[in-house]
């Protein structure tokens, strides 16, 4: 007993020493609390605001998944009812004490002594100290003595350095409520669907009740909220009757079941997410991001698309997309990735999704043919049934209406979107060359030109609306390519250097002139279609195979607009044409852009000349009811101009030049060599399309074909409409040119197997004795 007595003073001294050290550490930590300005600057909402080019809110995206925080609220943005309810419930003498309510501390101590329930002694300032420094926050077993004392010191430090309104304001913005909700702004918008300045007494009572036990069961929460509401109402009217807590029960239950705020909300969900992904850490540190979009334009584009799709509701079409680019800068002015609630695939961004473009590739094909001087805008092309041999069989293109127009000019063929003339043009340009041109325009084609074959002229490849619209912007910019821009340049950013020229500026201008020609468009669309705007614009529609996609793309002097409608899941539409699907949206958006802004036709670039032209057709075409196009002034690349375009016989001669192609053998043919067959019996027949089988010498067809030249692997080998070749092994390129050396068509073929004999072979090549049999 004596030994134990001697030990107690030592134990008490050790505890006192530890307590003193703890208090010293707490005091030091309390002095390190941040200032009000530091706390406010560090506040970051959990959502990032995506703004338009003028600072208007465009979209809100959740970028912090750890908690739901709203904007920082100043006290004048908080309703008086909420402020009063908070003080009545949590800290009645807030404006009287200096951080610690000693009167409440005494009452709490006395209550603990007599085991009676009293109001807590923790002031709002003490609670804020716990929010600012995790050392003072309560753990699973509550706060320790040191934590309580440290919180007391920290509260008094705050009171010396912060004003009362700053303490109350910071508390309301930092205090956690129910679930992931932190701060009053997040609570009021999530639970009550309104801003904090509009909270009434009932809503204020519920908000304050959540402070004590954020995740309490509904009966407990209602009981506390009813007590706060009773006290709040009696402050203004002591004789006022107690509130109906049963009705409050139903109302609180409904409020707690309100759906949480969507992680993305506003006008531009797809663009907002894309723009934030381009930022460091996905935009998590950003409060707001300014973009080049225009909120009024974006809003109008969304409404126009949804209105059009509601009109098409009975035709099995529910999805769409709209993109608007500034011609000069490439900035994205509107980006509508889906039809929103009308779509069952609204999360799919149709601006980026690859789809078949249909006839919208034709302008690039004709531009290439014009630039290579294979055709002019006045050249005549036969719009009639065609059967084109390919490695996989015959390709038989059809027009949209399954009707043929006969001989038409290139201007009419493009503006009226005729399919067969486009395919005939591709036979001259070749699929591989056209494929390379599309790649230069920024279209991401995954397969080669040979893979698509002649169907590439009609848009059998898949391209996204973003890339296709930007390719049309290349036409608007005179053949100069640059990438689209979805971020505004920062202050002091140097101007973008002009992009490379990927298309002849003269050909690009000519294509725009043809696509703006309402008269040439009339053969298919009529003279007063939705494509005709009251200002200058060039436009092209397109419909993919099986009616799965419908497009309208075009440009004005300042803007390029692309529209797609269809079904994200791939179903075919019903009775949707080029002018009834995407075109009405294109026309409305263009009209909105130019409501108060003119659009004038661009001036022709150097190297173009204008000439009066006349057309003539053979008698049999006129007897069949087809008449030549009316005389007009036409534009030409310098050196290709002429005044008369005539067809003397079908497929014989056009514009004074042969319009021929290699009819036999087909592109990609494989020849097998047989050493047992005499070589003279294994020659391969090459025949031009303008040399009909069985043509008599001296006939018009024979005279027309006399100027044809054949080249094998770059060497001239024969003239005329037919040539018989003694083949040798390897891969070969065969070219057909006119009398002036202008390339008309080319194919590649392969010869396999051989018996080599001395003295036989191509000029300057290996000696071998081929014996060929067509496989």
């Amino acid at each position: 007993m004596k030994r134990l007595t001697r030990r107690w003073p030592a134990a008490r001294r050790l505890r006192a020493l530890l307590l003193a050290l703890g208090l010293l550490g707490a005091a030091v930590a309390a002095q390190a609390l941040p200032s009000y300005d530091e706390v406010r600057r560090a506040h970051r909402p959990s959502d990032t605001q995506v703004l338009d080019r003028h600072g208007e809110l465009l979209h809100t995206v959740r970028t912090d998944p750890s908690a739901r925080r709203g904007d920082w609220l100043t006290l004048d943005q908080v309703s008086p009812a909420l402020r009063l309810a908070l003080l009545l419930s949590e800290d009645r003498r807030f404006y009287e004490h200096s951080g610690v309510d000693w009167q409440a501390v005494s009452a709490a101590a006395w209550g603990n002594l007599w085991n009676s329930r009293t109001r807590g002694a923790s002031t709002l300032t003490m609670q804020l100290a716990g929010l600012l420094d995790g050392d003072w926050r309560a753990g699973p077993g509550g706060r320790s003595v040191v934590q309580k004392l440290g919180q007391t010191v920290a509260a008094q430090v705050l009171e010396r350095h912060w004003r009362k309104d700053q303490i109350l304001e910071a508390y309301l913005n930092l205090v956690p409520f129910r679930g992931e909700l932190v701060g009053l702004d997040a609570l009021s918008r999530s639970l009550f669907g309104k801003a904090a300045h509009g909270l009434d007494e009932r809503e204020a009572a519920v908000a304050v009740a959540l402070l004590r036990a954020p995740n309490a069961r509904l009966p407990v929460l209602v009981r506390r909220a009813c007590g706060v509401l009773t006290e709040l109402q009696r402050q203004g009217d002591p004789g006022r009757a107690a509130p109906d807590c049963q009705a409050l029960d139903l109302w609180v239950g409904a409020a707690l079941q309100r759906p949480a705020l969507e992680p993305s909300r506003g006008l531009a969900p797809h663009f907002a997410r894309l723009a934030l992904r381009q930022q460091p850490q996905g935009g998590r540190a950003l409060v707001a991001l300014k973009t080049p979009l225009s909120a009024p334009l974006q809003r109008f584009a969304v409404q126009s698309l949804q209105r059009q799709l509601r009109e098409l509701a009975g035709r099995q079409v529910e999805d769409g997309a709209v993109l608007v680019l500034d011609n000069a800068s490439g900035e994205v002015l509107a980006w509508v990735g889906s039809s929103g609630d009308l779509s069952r695939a609204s999360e799919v961004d149709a601006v980026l999704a690859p789809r078949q473009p249909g006839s919208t590739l034709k302008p690039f094909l004709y531009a290439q043919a014009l630039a290579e001087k294979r055709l002019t805008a006045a050249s005549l092309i036969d719009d009639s049934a065609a059967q084109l041999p390919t490695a996989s069989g015959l390709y038989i293109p059809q027009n949209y209406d399954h009707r043929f127009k006969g001989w038409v000019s290139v201007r009419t063929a493009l503006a009226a979107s005729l399919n067969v003339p486009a395919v005939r043009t591709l036979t001259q340009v070749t699929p591989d060359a056209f494929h390379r041109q599309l790649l230069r325009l920024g279209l991401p084609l995954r397969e080669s030109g040979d893979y698509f074959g002649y169907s590439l002229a009609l848009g059998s490849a898949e391209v996204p609306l973003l890339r296709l619209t930007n390719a049309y912007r290349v036409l608007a910019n005179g053949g100069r390519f640059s990438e689209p821009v979805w971020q505004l340049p920062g202050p002091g950013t140097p101007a973008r250097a002009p992009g490379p020229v990927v298309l002849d500026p003269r050909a690009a201008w000519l294509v725009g002139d043809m696509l703006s020609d309402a008269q040439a468009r009339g053969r298919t669309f009529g003279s007063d279609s939705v494509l005709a705007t009251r200002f200058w614009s060039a436009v092209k529609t397109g419909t993919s195979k099986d009616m799965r996609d419908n497009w309208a793309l075009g440009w004005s002097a300042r803007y390029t607009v692309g529209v797609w409608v269809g079904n994200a899941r791939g179903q075919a539409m019903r009775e949707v044409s080029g002018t009834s699907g995407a075109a009405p949206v294109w026309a409305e958006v263009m009209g909105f852009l130019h409501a108060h802004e003119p659009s004038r036709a661009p001036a022709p670039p150097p190297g173009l000349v204008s000439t009066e032209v006349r057309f003539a057709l053979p008698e049999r075409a006129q007897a069949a009811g087809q008449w030549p196009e009316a005389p007009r002034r036409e534009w030409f690349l310098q050196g290709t101009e002429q005044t008369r375009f005539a067809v003397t016989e079908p497929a014989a001669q056009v514009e004074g030049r042969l319009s021929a192609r290699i009819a036999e053998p087909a592109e990609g043919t494989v020849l097998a060599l047989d050493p047992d067959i005499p070589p003279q019996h294994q020659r391969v027949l090459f025949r031009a399309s303008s040399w009909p089988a069985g043509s008599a010498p001296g006939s018009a067809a024979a005279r027309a074909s006399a100027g044809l030249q054949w080249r094998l692997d770059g060497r001239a080998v024969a003239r005329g409409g037919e040539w018989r070749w003694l083949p040798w092994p390897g891969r070969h390129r065969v070219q057909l040119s006119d009398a002036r050396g202008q390339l008309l068509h080319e194919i590649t073929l392969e010869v396999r197997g051989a018996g080599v004999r001395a003295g036989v072979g191509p000029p300057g090549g290996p000696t071998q004795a081929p014996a060929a049999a067509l496989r």
Side-chain angles (χ1 to χ4, degrees), residues 36 39-45 70-75 77 162 166 169-171 173-174 185:
Y36 166 81
V39 171
R40 181 163 183 177
R41 282 196 302 267
H43 179 80
R44 290 290 182 273
D71 294 331
W72 183 277
L73 299 178
T74 58
L75 277 184
Q77 294 175 301
W162 290 36
Q166 292 176 337
E169 181 180 301
Y171 176 82
N173 282 286
L174 300 178
D185 188 54

Side-chain angles (χ1 to χ4, degrees), residues 19-63:
L19 180 60
L21 290 174
L23 287 174
L24 179 61
V28 172
Q31 295 295 331
L33 288 171
S35 68
Y36 166 81
D37 291 333
E38 290 173 334
V39 171
R40 181 163 183 177
R41 282 196 302 267
H43 179 80
R44 290 290 182 273
S46 59
D47 296 346
T48 297
Q49 293 185 340
V50 178
L51 310 177
D52 83 337
R53 61 193 307 111
H54 303 297
E56 182 178 342
L57 179 61
L58 191 70
H59 205 87
T60 302
V61 181
R62 175 82 175 268
T63 50

